[in-house]
């Protein structure tokens, strides 16, 4: 899991998508998921999945191809270099990360900040692994039920598409090698 912030006080999935399209000519946002801070059309803690998440496509959120291809990128709306997330955002961040950890079997050692993979301050000085651990202990109970359910629904029930062969090509290669070996052994022993 790679944690980002948008470095802007306002935004949501649609507004970030427009900026990324206009400034970078990307078809979608750079991230897999966007966690809203309530500044636009969606309530605080509301999670939105990009087409990158839905299609299991790689992100373009860091300058590292490896992290772009192997990470799940979570963008948190806000500028957390300038200010701390409020209580609801803290709970929402912790909850989203916990759900992603469960969904994709990710351990705490594989939760990275954007600055761990690229030369950047992202996601700001007010979000780091130590802070996430503190929030996790402080807000050990689930956030508001509606936030929890909405985030869980997005993470678990988004219909992920396996059309992205690039991400899973090695599985197909290994399967084909295995099948060829089975056929060869069958021919030898017949």
């Amino acid at each position: 899991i790679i944690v980002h912030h948008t470095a802007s006080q306002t935004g949501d999935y649609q507004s970030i998508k427009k900026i990324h399209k206009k400034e970078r000519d990307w078809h979608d946002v750079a991230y897999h998921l966007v966690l809203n801070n309530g500044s636009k059309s969606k309530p605080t803690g509301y999670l939105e999945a990009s087409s990158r998440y839905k299609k299991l496509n790689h992100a373009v959120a860091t300058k590292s191809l490896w992290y772009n291809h192997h990470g799940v990128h979570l963008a948190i709306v806000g500028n957390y270099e300038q200010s701390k997330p409020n209580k609801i955002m803290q709970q929402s961040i912790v909850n989203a990360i916990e759900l992603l950890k469960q969904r994709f079997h990710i351990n705490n050692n594989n939760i990275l900040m954007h600055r761990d993979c690229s030369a950047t301050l992202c996601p700001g000085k007010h979000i780091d692994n130590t802070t996430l651990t503190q929030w996790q202990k402080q807000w050990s109970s689930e956030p508001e039920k509606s936030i929890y359910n909405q985030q869980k629904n997005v993470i678990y029930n988004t219909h992920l598409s396996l059309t992205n062969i690039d991400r899973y090509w090695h599985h197909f290669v290994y399967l084909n090698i295995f099948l060829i070996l089975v056929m060869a052994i069958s021919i030898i022993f017949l």
Side-chain angles (χ1 to χ4, degrees), residues 48-120:
E48 295 179 277
S50 72
S51 66
R52 293 183 191 284
Y53 184 75
K54 294 172 185 173
K55 296 178 182 177
L56 295 175
N57 282 336
H58 68 277
V60 290
T62 74
K63 295 198 182 332
S64 166
L65 287 176
W66 196 92
Y67 289 112
N68 285 342
H69 282 270
H70 294 91
V72 177
H73 294 259
L74 172 66
I76 305 164
V77 175
N79 187 330
Y80 301 108
E81 184 64 26
Q82 295 177 352
S83 60
K84 293 180 182 178
N86 64 33
K87 174 186 171 184
I88 295 171
M89 278 304 289
Q90 291 173 15
Q91 290 175 316
S92 299
I93 293 165
V94 167
N95 186 68
I97 290 172
E98 285 301 311
L99 288 168
L100 286 168
K101 283 170 48 180
Q102 293 167 17
R103 171 74 170 92
F104 295 106
H105 309 287
I106 298 169
N107 65 42
N108 284 334
N109 295 332
N110 290 318
I111 299 171
L112 303 173
M113 305 300 116
H114 181 187
R115 68 178 154 266
D116 297 328
C117 351
S118 297
T120 180

Side-chain angles (χ1 to χ4, degrees), residues 94-188:
V94 167
N95 186 68
I97 290 172
E98 285 301 311
L99 288 168
L100 286 168
K101 283 170 48 180
Q102 293 167 17
R103 171 74 170 92
F104 295 106
H105 309 287
I106 298 169
N107 65 42
N108 284 334
N109 295 332
N110 290 318
I111 299 171
L112 303 173
M113 305 300 116
H114 181 187
R115 68 178 154 266
D116 297 328
C117 351
S118 297
T120 180
L121 297 175
C122 182
K125 66 185 176 188
H126 295 292
I127 298 178
D128 59 31
N129 284 346
T130 303
T131 305
L132 289 176
T133 301
Q134 290 170 351
W135 293 344
Q136 193 174 25
K137 290 175 184 171
Q138 186 176 2
W139 311 118
S140 58
S141 63
E142 294 173 358
E144 183 182 314
K145 200 68 168 169
S146 63
I147 293 171
Y148 174 82
N149 289 335
Q150 190 276 332
Q151 289 184 354
K152 186 175 181 180
N153 186 46
V154 169
I155 290 171
Y156 279 92
N157 296 330
T158 297
H159 297 289
L160 302 178
S161 168
L162 295 179
T163 59
N164 184 359
I165 293 288
D166 290 340
R167 185 160 182 161
Y168 297 100
W169 67 270
H170 56 281
H171 296 289
F172 296 104
V173 170
Y174 295 137
L175 179 61
N176 285 330
I177 290 171
F178 174 76
L179 292 173
I180 291 168
L181 287 173
V182 168
M183 288 174 23
I185 291 170
S186 297
I187 291 170
I188 291 171

